[in-house]
Amino acid sequence: MSWSQERLESVARTRLSGAKLIVVANREPYIHRFRNGEVECIRPAGGLTAALDPVMRACGGTWVAHGSGDADARTADCGGRLRVPPDDPSYTLRRVWLTKEQEEGYYYGFANSGLWPLCHQVYARPVFDPAHWAAYKEVNETFAAAVLEEARGGPALVFVQDYHFALLPRLLKQARPDLVVAHFWHIPWPNPETFRVCPWGPELLDGMLGNDLMSFHIQYHCNNFLETVDRTLECRIDRERFAVERNGQTTRVRPHPISVDPRLAGEYLGDDWEGRASAIRKTHRLGDRPLLVGVDRVDYTKGIPERLLAVNDLIERHPEWKGRFHFLQVGAPSRTHLPAYRDLKDEVQTLADRINWEHGTADWQPVVFLNEHTGPEDVFVLYRMAAGCVVSSLHDGMNLVAKEFVTARPDEQGVLVLSRFTGAARELTDAVLVNPFDVRQTADGLHAALTMPADEQRRRMRKMRQQVDDHNIFRWAGMLLSEVGKLVDPGTVPEPLGLPPPSEDEFRTLLARQQSLDAMRLAMGVA
Ligand code: F6P
């Protein structure tokens, strides 16, 4: 039987036996921000929120996240809560307010300057700063307090997302041993040799072993994790059951490759996608030439300069393509507060300009670089109208752009050029697989995308669509829930052992801080 929203709903009902579902992820699925004096609601770029929103719509419950939008406090109640999605409220978003210093140390610092490069191993040197580590610990405690508050009064399954919260599972278990805690790590896990440079490695691993289930996209990352734990902490590794036993607690370690909701493509495309495609062609002067697209956050793990070099190589080695195709890169601004991300944006812009200068003419610019927030409605039209989609990550846990692209192609046309170093490459084996470090091979992949006969495209696309249909986001969540749901005990709930939830006063202080920030922004005319 295939997995659908309805089947997930029923699994959630039976497996959770009335326990609350609480998802914790740094990024919120709906951000409210001020634009021209008005409040607007946007969906952030990034696979995690797009993937988990349909799961929460199906299961209900609470999503605890950092309230990062400048209009977030205005649109939530005094507990930071609001019902979402705004047009079809089906679950609760609980926003946690962080100070600028906390965001600097926890999000930009330890999470994105330390753990992100450490886990991706893409030759960006991780930064380990004691002040970042202190903020990371503090924010994990802040989120623990918020989760404990949401979990008050009954059994709950807490589903923690990603590398922002390695310490949270242990904090939760210490306070409420009855909570069932599962954790999904959306990025790769490195080998023990790489991991051991992290000065706080043992503390991170101890935090993660507070989980009942620790899950990664692929078996290889599970193996790396078990190996890392084995070399770092005193514990028993059960290699038959893929579990770690420590201080009387068992943490199972399992692969669960994340996916997408294939129905969303139809919703985003609607009936008028062709009209919107013509408008895009007109705006960017694309004529009726074939289009290759890339859709990414501007992040150094995504291999965006490498793919531009491949575009350049394609034009140089195949001059017959001059004037006859475009490469359009959607590059959503991301983590722009960090110099490495700002430098990358400049590098991509410079490369795009150089290629256009060297090969372009008054009527034809080979590269279009859109460095702006682009909503899913436009992104899916680009997928639908493209001859090919290029995903050239240097290292990626999964990469959901690859999966989204195939869901947008009911016509069974279009070629996926996909980096071998993504989790997606293990499932989408009918893509044109390339090594993004090999510019010539990637250029050959682009050439293949532009020249592949329609029959061959159909054969490959049909198989990839089948794979994503069968292994969709509802299956991912259903399998995870089935695995941990049986641990939920609908019986009595013990009193918390520690970490009492913050008092009303503490919440009021945080709210007041947010409101004074708002007032300051208004006064400065930034809102
Ligand atoms: O899994 C990687 C991740 O950090 C996800 O949390 C998210 O989907 C994506 O990268 C975007 O990152 P951020 O939330 O930092 O903008």
Side-chain angles (χ1 to χ4, degrees), residues 26-27 45-49 107 112 116 162-164 186-187 297 334-335:
N26 171 70
R27 184 63 66 201
L48 184 154
T49 48
Y107 173 78
N112 285 314
W116 180 268
D162 238 342
Y163 57 100
H164 310 87
H186 290 254
I187 62 176
R297 290 178 302 102
S334 179
R335 307 173 190 167

Side-chain angles (χ1 to χ4, degrees), residues 473-517:
I473 188 67
F474 302 112
R475 180 180 192 274
W476 175 80
M479 303 294 275
L480 274 155
L481 284 187
S482 303
E483 199 157 347
V484 284
K486 51 187 174 241
L487 304 174
V488 172
D489 175 6
T492 52
V493 186
E495 282 302 304
L497 299 180
L499 267 182
S503 64
E504 282 304 313
D505 281 354
E506 283 166 322
F507 270 110
R508 270 201 215 103
T509 314
L510 282 168
L511 188 67
R513 197 176 295 157
Q514 176 80 29
Q515 281 164 344
S516 72
L517 276 175

Side-chain angles (χ1 to χ4, degrees), residues 194-264:
T194 304
F195 184 78
R196 75 188 182 133
V197 305
C198 176
W200 306 289
E203 288 96 320
L204 285 179
L205 294 174
D206 178 62
M208 293 167 83
L209 293 179
N211 283 296
D212 297 293
L213 172 68
M214 184 66 233
S215 182
F216 300 87
H217 291 293
I218 56 176
Q219 185 65 49
Y220 180 60
H221 298 150
C222 295
N223 295 349
N224 278 349
F225 179 74
L226 281 177
E227 207 52 46
T228 309
V229 170
D230 199 17
R231 292 213 206 162
T232 317
L233 297 178
E234 279 217 14
C235 57
R236 198 175 89 77
I237 308 280
D238 181 341
R239 291 189 194 275
E240 300 260 298
R241 289 168 55 231
F242 272 91
V244 183
E245 278 161 27
R246 187 155 183 271
N247 303 332
Q249 198 195 328
T250 303
T251 305
R252 303 154 193 232
V253 181
R254 296 277 188 283
H256 285 286
I258 201 169
S259 192
V260 294
D261 175 356
R263 301 166 316 172
L264 288 178

